[in-house]
Amino acid sequence: MNKMIRRFLKDENGATAIEYGLIIALISLAIVAGVGGLADQLEFLWGDNNSEINKGLNFH
């Protein structure tokens, strides 16, 4: 029984899995933040194009 507890305490596989999980979480957060910023820029771009098209079609 003592050997099993010592082996369990020396085992680092769980720690490695947690580290990989944290790395994946940080990368995912960076991707979500980047996509959010890109979406804002695209919304501005298309909104500006829409207003320019309306100006061109409504010339008098």
Side-chain angles (χ1 to χ4, degrees):
M1 188 69 146
N2 247 349
K3 287 182 182 181
M4 192 185 310
I5 293 173
R6 276 192 240 142
R7 188 172 29 175
F8 176 75
L9 292 175
K10 287 182 181 180
D11 188 12
E12 294 183 4
N13 288 333
T16 302
I18 291 172
E19 290 168 356
Y20 283 134
L22 289 173
I23 290 169
I24 290 170
L26 289 174
I27 291 172
S28 300
L29 185 62
I31 289 171
V32 168
V35 169
L38 181 63
D40 290 341
Q41 291 176 357
L42 286 175
E43 182 180 352
F44 172 75
L45 174 70
W46 287 108
D48 189 45
N49 284 344
N50 188 29
S51 65
E52 291 298 320
I53 290 170
N54 283 334
K55 282 184 204 175
L57 292 175
N58 292 325
F59 64 92
H60 294 132

